[in-house]
């Protein structure tokens, strides 16, 4: 599970301050720690790549990575993944990877490649990358080529996208509350919620709880599935959705992802009318939403279904005396 001690954001390489923050991390990791010559660390791809930057809660840069767009003779590739030593092992790299892979999907890429340092191959395998070819050296460091297929966002019809299909940015708490409520209220019979600890700011709000209850008691085969990464935290917080789920257990079901699935950084809610609200980092409220976007909603639902089938019952929630 991704910690609440850092954030991940897309940055503009042309912005001097944001560029300097990325450079600071890469210089510390690659030039100072790994001995990569400074003149080999910076290349022409930096100017055209999509960069992400992780910061601690004080705003200090702690990690970075980039996505180089597909070239005529090369596939899009993730690279320059760097995490400061003190932040390793805290899933910062996971946040970078999920954010970069989501950007690749938005750009319509169907596959990705990378030159991974050999010691990090196992890390990238967790994200579906597979090594191929012989080991080689770059800057006297052993590397392996890796690749994976991805499902891009489906293209809109030729007549052009409808306003409902275009994702809208969610930047404030008020917008997040409205987006969550709209997706819940827009469900016909089924709602799927992927959350870290039940998102008290959103799902424990009175309007959202009322909408969830209305869906659950509407009959007609209503089904609300909730995947909770940290059920013990949600139980400790006394979330009212837990009590609602116990009273309406025929319609509301909680499960917790198995350990490897808990590395997923995002959070989302998706309904059976192709509405969704997605956040690339589950500890934050900002993200994107659309009321009817079959392509993106279908991808989220497919991912949810896979995790749900592997998931376990939430004993932390079932045993509460509420």
């Amino acid at each position: 599970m991704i910690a609440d001690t850092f954030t991940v954001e897309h940055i503009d390489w042309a912005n001097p301050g944001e560029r300097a923050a990325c450079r600071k991390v890469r210089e510390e990791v690659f030039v100072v720690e790994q001995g990569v010559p400074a003149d080999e660390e910076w290349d022409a791809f930096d100017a055209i790549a999509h960069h992400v930057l992780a910061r601690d809660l004080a705003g200090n840069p702690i990690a970075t990575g980039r996505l180089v767009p597909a070239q005529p003779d090369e596939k899009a590739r993730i690279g320059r993944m760097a995490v400061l030593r003190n932040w390793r092992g805290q899933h910062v790299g996971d946040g970078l990877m999920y954010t970069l892979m989501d950007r690749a999907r938005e750009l319509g890429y169907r596959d990705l490649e990378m030159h991974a340092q050999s010691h990090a191959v196992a890390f990238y395998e967790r994200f579906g990358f597979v090594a191929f070819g012989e080991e080689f050296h770059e800057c006297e460091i052993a590397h392996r080529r890796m690749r994976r297929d991805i499902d891009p966002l489906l293209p809109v019809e030729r007549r052009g996208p409808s306003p409902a299909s275009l994702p809208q940015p969610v930047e404030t708490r008020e917008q997040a509350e409205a987006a969550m409520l709209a997706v819940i209220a827009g469900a016909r019979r089924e709602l799927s919620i992927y959350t870290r600890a039940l998102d008290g700011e959103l799902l424990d709000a009175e309007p959202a709880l009322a909408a969830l209850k209305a869906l659950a008691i509407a009959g007609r085969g209503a089904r609300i599935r909730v995947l909770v990464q940290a059920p013990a935290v949600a139980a400790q917080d006394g979330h009212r959705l837990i009590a609602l789920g116990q009273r309406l257990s025929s319609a509301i079901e909680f499960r917790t992802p198995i350990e490897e699935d808990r590395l997923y950084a995002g959070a989302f809610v998706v309904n059976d009318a192709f509405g969704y609200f997605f956040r690339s980092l589950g500890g934050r409220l900002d993200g994107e939403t659309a009321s009817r976007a079959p392509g993106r909603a279908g991808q989220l639902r497919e991912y949810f279904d896979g995790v749900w089938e592997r998931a376990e019952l939430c004993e932390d929630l079932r045993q509460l005396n509420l």
Side-chain angles (χ1 to χ4, degrees):
M1 186 174 63
I2 306 302
D4 286 324
T5 52
F6 65 91
T7 61
V8 179
E9 62 192 56
H10 296 280
I11 67 104
D12 180 3
W13 189 257
N15 181 298
E18 295 179 346
R19 181 173 67 248
C22 286
R23 288 179 63 99
K24 180 179 180 181
V25 174
R26 284 167 54 178
E27 286 173 354
E28 176 66 26
V29 173
F30 296 129
V31 178
V32 176
E33 184 178 336
Q34 297 187 352
V36 174
D39 60 351
E40 295 185 35
E41 170 56 24
W42 315 110
D43 59 27
F45 291 118
D46 277 326
I48 63 172
H50 302 274
H51 298 264
V52 294
L53 178 70
R55 299 180 185 269
D56 64 19
L57 297 186
N60 302 305
I62 60 173
T64 187
R66 75 181 187 184
L67 171 68
V68 176
Q71 305 297 305
D73 56 345
E74 292 185 4
K75 300 183 185 300
R77 62 187 187 277
I78 288 175
R80 296 303 199 268
M81 290 281 294
V83 180
L84 294 183
R85 184 188 297 274
N86 291 343
W87 282 89
R88 293 170 197 166
Q90 300 184 52
H91 301 304
V92 182
D94 296 49
L96 297 179
M97 285 296 295
Y98 283 120
T99 305
L100 288 169
M101 290 171 65
D102 276 338
R103 175 53 60 89
R105 292 187 180 96
E106 292 169 0
L107 294 172
Y109 298 142
R110 294 187 175 274
D111 42 29
L112 289 170
E113 290 192 356
M114 65 169 53
H115 292 180
Q117 293 188 12
S118 296
H119 69 84
V121 164
F123 169 78
Y124 296 115
E125 286 177 337
R126 297 210 321 262
F127 299 89
F129 283 83
V130 177
F132 68 98
E134 299 296 326
E135 187 175 73
F136 64 98
H137 285 75
E138 286 183 349
C139 300
E140 300 185 3
I141 300 173
H143 283 72
R144 293 290 305 279
R145 290 181 173 84
M146 303 189 76
R147 62 187 172 205
R148 68 152 291 171
D149 297 330
I150 60 172
D151 294 322
L153 298 185
L154 299 180
V156 296
E157 298 178 9
R158 289 186 177 180
R159 58 174 160 60
S162 67
S165 71
L166 293 174
Q168 301 298 316
V170 174
E171 299 174 340
T172 67
R173 175 172 178 166
E174 291 74 19
Q175 290 173 341
E177 291 173 346
M180 180 65 77
L181 181 59
V183 176
I184 297 171
R188 299 189 182 109
R189 298 183 181 179
E190 295 189 10
L191 187 72
S192 302
I193 302 172
Y194 194 112
T195 173
R196 299 178 59 187
L198 289 184
D199 290 316
E201 293 177 287
L202 302 177
L203 293 172
D204 203 25
E206 206 63 54
L209 283 170
L212 287 166
K213 180 179 179 180
L215 175 61
I217 65 176
R220 52 185 170 78
R223 188 185 190 197
I224 300 172
R225 298 181 297 167
V226 187
L227 280 167
V228 190
Q229 288 184 333
V233 175
Q236 184 177 5
D237 291 343
H239 202 297
R240 289 179 292 172
L241 179 55
I242 301 172
L244 181 65
Q246 291 181 339
R247 292 197 303 269
L248 302 172
S249 58
S250 62
I252 303 176
E253 183 178 355
F254 299 95
R255 293 187 186 180
T256 185
I258 60 175
E259 184 175 357
E260 50 264 42
D261 286 329
R262 274 177 248 149
L263 294 172
Y264 183 67
F268 60 85
V269 56
V270 58
N271 64 30
D272 55 354
F274 306 116
Y276 74 89
F277 172 30
F278 171 80
R279 293 171 287 147
S280 60
L281 286 178
R284 296 172 59 91
L285 297 181
D286 56 303
E288 66 175 39
T289 188
S291 60
R292 183 174 175 80
R296 183 57 165 150
Q299 288 177 334
L300 293 172
R301 174 65 179 270
E302 181 179 1
Y303 177 79
F304 185 98
D305 288 346
V307 177
W308 182 264
E309 290 303 316
R310 296 186 294 270
E312 304 165 343
L313 294 177
C314 282
E315 296 297 333
D316 288 308
L317 305 186
R318 293 178 66 198
Q319 296 175 1
L320 288 178
N321 183 23
L322 295 173

